Amino acid sequence: MTPALQVESLAVTFASDRGPIAAVEDVSLRVAQGRTLCVVGESGSGKSVSILATMGLLDPRRATVRATALRLGDIDLLNLPADQRRALNGDRVAMVFQDPMTSLNPYLRIGTQLTEVLEVHRKMPRALAATHAIAMLHAVGISAPTQRMRAYPHELSGGMRQRVVLAMALLCQPDVLLADEPTTALDVTIQAQVLQLIRDQQAQTGMAVVLVTHDMGVVAHMADDVAVLYAGLVVERASVGDLFAAPRHPYTRALLASIPATESRGHRLQAIAGTPPSPAARPPGCVFAPRCASAQALCLTTRPPEETLAADRTVRCFRHAELAELAELAERADG
Ligand SMILES: Nc1ncnc2c1ncn2[C@@H]1O[C@H](COP(=O)(O)OP(=O)(O)OP(=O)(O)O)[C@@H](O)[C@H]1O
Ligand SMILES: [Mg+2]
């Protein structure tokens, strides 16, 4: 089946005074209709840049974006004229950022901002657009939605603002929703509600969701599939079940082992001692080798390729098979 969104070998380089910065080196993501892909990884691993590049939102004067494929369903985004591509944003593909004010205009009533989406993308007359907007505000759990239409963003709480942004993103029933830590700034109860709203909408419309999160609790709750990013590379990609039951990359393993069961919520991923390499100083071998307890000589000199283990299961580690065997032996010895 054609994925709702397909990103193959995405690379993003920023121009800087000190030379090019390879923020994203090689990221491939696939999400099927009706499914949720969670993208996890430490700060600076390239999650946001990958999402922004996928949306075509990076400034072409500063960022060079390359990919072998970038497809929204049957639409080839790589070869689409810029204006046609922009027209897809907010329509076939929508995005929610961590900070709702990124998407809201502080000077406009939320009703104006919501109806505008439908007027622009659906050429809907204003009155009809307003009816739809009110229904969507209701759907995302905003009480007295008709009155709220007249509110300015600053008159709403953070949780409400994020619901409004979600309503705006969902208005055109996008095929794909890209959400970059949409609930990180919210308290735990509101976070759970907003995530549930995404799931509800997904169940109704079959949209595909890409959810960037630091929170493995959210991953366990939301993901069908997971992509683990490290230093601009997808180091492992698997179904959520496979990933939790049998992680193949040492980084993923460390990540999962480091989560205290009761404290996983809201915690920034800080799995292992040390920090990831900056894009300007990536090691020549495996990007994780300097922090990896299992690294050997080859790992320090050569980048491991992305190896496909099964449909939609990949890993980037020379020693994954050997280490999996060892892990299994250790488990048997324990049991
Ligand atoms: N406009 C830019 N110019 C130069 N470098 C950038 C730019 N935007 C991001 N970067 C660099 O690209 C790398 C990836 O950044 P990105 O924001 O994608 O990380 P992230 O995984 O989203 O982190 P976080 O969890 O903190 O949100 C970082 O090293 C960052 O400093
Ligand atoms: Mg980010």
Side-chain angles (χ1 to χ4, degrees), residues 44 46-49 98 180-181 212 214:
K47 304 180 298 293
S48 295
V49 170
Q98 176 174 349
D180 191 354
E181 304 206 49
V212 173
H214 274 88

Side-chain angles (χ1 to χ4, degrees), residues 14 23 42-49 62 181 214 268 279:
F14 289 103
E42 272 165 292
S43 191
S45 56
K47 304 180 298 293
S48 295
V49 170
R62 296 213 51 220
E181 304 206 49
H214 274 88
R268 309 294 278 180

